């Protein structure tokens, strides 16, 4: 032994505690399935927010009328009963879910009207649809893609394809779950780690160490069992002078569970283009001077409008030329009716000079022009007398004929007896 080194007393600690502090689950691959991604709360919240918002907006069919003004048409069959199962909101909800999770919505036309326009479309599971577009020319290329569903070829003219995020010279849309698998992995790992943390009691409540004696494995297991029983029953722990018990206290927020969850929610919201605070994330801007109307308009303009435009253009192709589809977003701006009324009043010149006509204001709300006022009835013609300079004869009374002009009545005082 080195002469200037003091002999150290061997120390051993009991490490066989029943608590498992956990850790990220060992994933074999870096891919994340759709079902697995939906178990992540921010992903489910983002998809639900988009799908519910768009499904609550009714699509309306318009026709371009005189002077280019829109004329609302009766609801077509496709917007009345578009699917065998569910209603129009359910049908729209499924389409947005496919686009948000898989990158595109693929629909199969199942019914047409007499003119050949689709009246029913069923959305297919994009995972079961295979598209061949890798060839340079001919069938199977970008210009002539081939579609297969469960191995069966699909007719291109009987499909409705709405991609969300597309790459150049690729037919199918890019799945955000596949593109940002690393972000989903971080969120899933943190979520699973938090579950393991609470399921297994978090970290050990303390360490139990012998500073003088060497403890064998058998004795360590026995002592561990006894200490564990005491701790689980919350009974006092009594030990000798050669044992040191050090409690461990780690708060959940110190393990950065909340911070990791908020960071994941913020990143997911950025991917889908929605406000982070709506799905549990954090934002850097202050909402002190914002109003509900401003927030709704911001959400409608920057979050929903890109989705609505893609759906509107795809639905317009399903109807004859001269008609188009537009979502009615007035319900989302219902709280801002006062402001719209004030703008309309100013447009009509109340109290200042008018700079728009009533028909122009109505066109801004997709309403037809005001009908022309009815023509007033013709004025009655007064009766005229044919004798010049003489008054018109009085109207007969009680069936008697009027007296001749210039004749005197019986008993008149003007004549002599």
């Amino acid at each position: 032994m080195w002469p200037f080194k003091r002999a150290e007393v061997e120390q051993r600690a009991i490490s066989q505690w029943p608590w498992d502090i956990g850790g990220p689950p060992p994933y074999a691959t870096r891919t994340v399935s759709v079902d697995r991604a939906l178990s992540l709360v921010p992903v489910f919240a983002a998809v639900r927010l988009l799908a519910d918002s768009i499904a609550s907006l009714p699509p309306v069919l318009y026709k371009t009328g005189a002077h280019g003004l829109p004329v609302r048409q009766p609801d077509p069959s496709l917007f009345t009963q578009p699917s065998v199962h569910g209603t129009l909101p359910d049908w729209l909800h499924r389409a947005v879910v496919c686009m948000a999770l898989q990158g595109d919505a693929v629909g199969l036309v199942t019914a047409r009207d007499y003119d050949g326009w689709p009246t029913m479309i069923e959305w297919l599971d994009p995972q079961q649809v295979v598209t061949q577009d890798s060839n340079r020319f001919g069938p199977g290329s970008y210009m002539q893609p081939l579609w297969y569903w469960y191995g069966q070829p699909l007719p291109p003219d009987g499909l409705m394809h709405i991609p969300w995020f597309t790459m150049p010279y690729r037919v199918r849309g890019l799945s955000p779950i596949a593109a940002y698998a690393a972000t989903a992995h971080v969120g899933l790992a943190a979520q699973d780690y938090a579950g393991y943390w609470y399921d297994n009691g978090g970290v050990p409540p303390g360490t139990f160490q012998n500073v003088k004696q060497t403890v064998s494995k058998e004795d360590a297991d026995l002592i561990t069992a006894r200490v564990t029983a005491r701790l689980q029953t919350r009974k006092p722990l009594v030990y000798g002078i050669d044992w040191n018990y050090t409690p461990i206290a780690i708060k959940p927020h110190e393990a950065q569970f909340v911070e990791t969850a908020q960071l994941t929610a913020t990143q997911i919201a950025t991917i889908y283009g929605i406000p982070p605070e709506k799905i549990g994330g954090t934002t850097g801007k202050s909402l002190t001077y914002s109003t509900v109307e401003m927030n709704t308009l911001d959400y409608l303009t920057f979050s929903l409008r890109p989705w609505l435009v893609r759906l509107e253009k795809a639905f317009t192709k399903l109807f004859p030329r001269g008609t188009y589809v537009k979502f009615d977003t007035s319900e989302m701006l219902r709280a801002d009716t006062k402001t719209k009324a004030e703008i309309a009043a100013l447009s009509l010149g109340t109290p200042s000079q008018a700079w728009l006509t009533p028909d122009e204001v109505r066109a801004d709300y997709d309403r037809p022009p005001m009908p022309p006022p009815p023509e007033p009835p013709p004025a009655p013609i007064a009766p005229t007398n044919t004798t010049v300079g003489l008054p018109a004869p009085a109207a007969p009374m009680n069936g008697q004929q009027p007296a001749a002009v210039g004749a005197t009545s019986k008993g008149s005082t003007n004549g002599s007896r």
Side-chain angles (χ1 to χ4, degrees), residues 166-237:
T166 56
M167 298 297 291
Y169 223 72
R170 286 293 181 266
V171 176
R172 301 296 297 272
L174 182 64
S175 172
I177 302 302
Y180 297 95
T183 302
H185 267 291
V186 172
L188 290 171
Q191 185 170 285
D192 292 342
Y193 184 72
Y196 295 149
W197 175 285
Y198 291 106
D199 290 343
N200 296 299
V203 298
T207 60
F208 201 58
Q209 184 180 20
N210 192 294
V211 297
K212 292 185 178 181
Q213 299 179 4
T214 300
V215 181
S216 62
K217 183 180 182 302
E218 293 76 11
D219 294 339
D221 294 339
L222 179 60
I223 296 172
T224 299
R226 292 179 178 178
V227 174
T228 301
R230 286 287 184 177
L231 294 176
Q232 290 178 347
T233 57
R234 298 187 180 277
K235 292 182 180 180
L237 179 64

Side-chain angles (χ1 to χ4, degrees), residues 275 285 293-304:
K285 65 179 181 179
E293 292 81 6
M294 293 176 60
N295 292 335
T296 303
L297 183 61
D298 181 82
Y299 174 63
L300 177 63
T301 303
F302 298 102
S303 299
L304 293 185

Side-chain angles (χ1 to χ4, degrees), residues 272-351:
Y272 285 102
I274 59 179
E277 63 272 7
K278 291 184 178 295
I279 62 172
T282 57
T283 179
K285 65 179 181 179
S286 175
L287 299 179
T288 304
Y289 300 100
S290 298
T291 61
V292 177
E293 292 81 6
M294 293 176 60
N295 292 335
T296 303
L297 183 61
D298 181 82
Y299 174 63
L300 177 63
T301 303
F302 298 102
S303 299
L304 293 185
R305 187 172 180 271
W307 295 78
L308 296 177
V309 170
R310 286 181 173 87
L311 293 173
E312 290 171 353
K313 298 302 182 182
F315 293 157
T316 300
K317 295 180 180 180
L318 304 177
F319 297 97
R321 178 177 296 182
T323 59
Y324 62 93
V325 176
K326 185 178 181 181
F327 280 89
D328 185 5
T329 60
S330 59
E331 291 295 327
M332 294 193 65
L333 301 176
R334 181 186 301 177
D336 200 23
T337 306
K338 179 181 178 181
T339 304
K340 295 175 64 176
E342 293 175 352
I343 295 176
L346 294 175
S347 303
L348 295 175
T350 307

